[in-house]
Amino acid sequence: MRGLSVCLGVLASIWGGAAWGQADFQSNPVPALGQNARSNTAFDPSGKGPRVLFVGNSITRHGPRPEIGWTNDWGMAASARDKDYVHLLQKKIAAVRPDAQCCLAQVAATFERVFFKPDWSPEKHFAWARAFKPDAIVLFFGANVPRDYDSGKMTPAPARTFAAALERFLDHVDPEKKAFVLVSQGFYIRPKLDAEKETVAGKT
């Protein structure tokens, strides 16, 4: 049975999201397209222990984009590579299990901006994540989902809900339902998305 947990506000509060509620943090001026040349990155390919999959957007990793003033290749909002949330958690994991293997999936272009389209499927984008066989999955994304989705004004209407897509993603990546899944609020205040995440987290 898959272990599901919803972590509301913990990761978001690290970066000044919902817990701070300041207007400047609620704008999203960074385009979701072209954030990374690759959608997956393995940190510890030689690790033989538990496997942790981080699933996120630019807060998880953003490649260099000098035209917007970003010249780094790590999670946005962090002043250094070892200060983004992925590397901070990776360090804590390594302290307990030095043999752990960590991998990240940047899903701005492969989930957030397309999950509602009829031809979207996790099989199309995440075969490598399934092959990774994660023991734990950290989900921290949602900021790049179109705002029209929240208001129910998408045209055409979405082919599926965010929750339905998230369930399909998890069923594909973790077909045996053995992984522990940590679900967080996103960076921005998105009550509809947060409610759908809670719905998925509440299912066992």
Side-chain angles (χ1 to χ4, degrees), residues 10-140:
V10 176
L11 294 177
S13 66
I14 295 174
W15 305 116
W20 287 15
Q22 296 176 356
D24 288 348
F25 289 116
Q26 297 307 309
S27 62
N28 184 12
V30 181
L33 299 177
Q35 289 187 357
N36 291 291
R38 296 189 306 168
S39 62
N40 61 295
T41 302
F43 285 110
D44 309 298
S46 62
K48 304 299 182 182
R51 298 183 172 202
V52 182
L53 176 65
F54 293 91
V55 184
N57 47 41
S58 60
I59 294 298
T60 299
R61 181 188 173 209
H62 196 304
R65 288 285 296 278
E67 62 270 28
I68 63 171
W70 180 256
T71 58
N72 305 310
D73 190 6
W74 57 71
M76 272 190 152
S79 59
R81 184 183 302 276
D82 62 355
K83 290 182 170 59
D84 70 21
Y85 88 92
V86 171
H87 289 86
L88 289 172
L89 287 178
Q90 182 192 14
K91 183 177 180 179
K92 291 181 179 294
I93 292 168
V96 179
R97 290 297 302 265
D99 59 342
Q101 181 178 166
C102 297
C103 186
L104 68 82
Q106 216 279 12
V107 298
T110 54
F111 190 112
E112 291 179 313
R113 304 294 295 184
V114 293
F115 74 88
F116 46 84
K117 296 184 177 181
D119 62 347
W120 177 87
S121 73
E123 293 81 6
K124 181 179 179 180
H125 299 287
F126 303 109
W128 65 268
R130 181 187 177 103
F132 182 64
K133 297 181 179 180
D135 298 296
I137 304 171
V138 180
L139 303 172
F140 185 21

Side-chain angles (χ1 to χ4, degrees), residues 126-189:
F126 303 109
W128 65 268
R130 181 187 177 103
F132 182 64
K133 297 181 179 180
D135 298 296
I137 304 171
V138 180
L139 303 172
F140 185 21
F141 65 98
N144 295 298
V145 173
R147 290 281 179 173
D148 286 350
Y149 176 79
D150 301 55
S151 62
K153 297 179 179 179
M154 290 191 75
T155 304
R160 65 191 58 81
T161 64
F162 180 90
L166 185 56
E167 286 190 73
R168 284 186 61 182
F169 170 83
L170 290 172
D171 287 343
H172 175 66
V173 173
D174 178 33
E176 297 182 5
K177 295 180 170 57
K178 292 183 177 180
F180 179 80
V181 182
L182 177 64
V183 187
S184 174
Q185 280 181 326
F187 188 85
Y188 302 106
I189 299 174

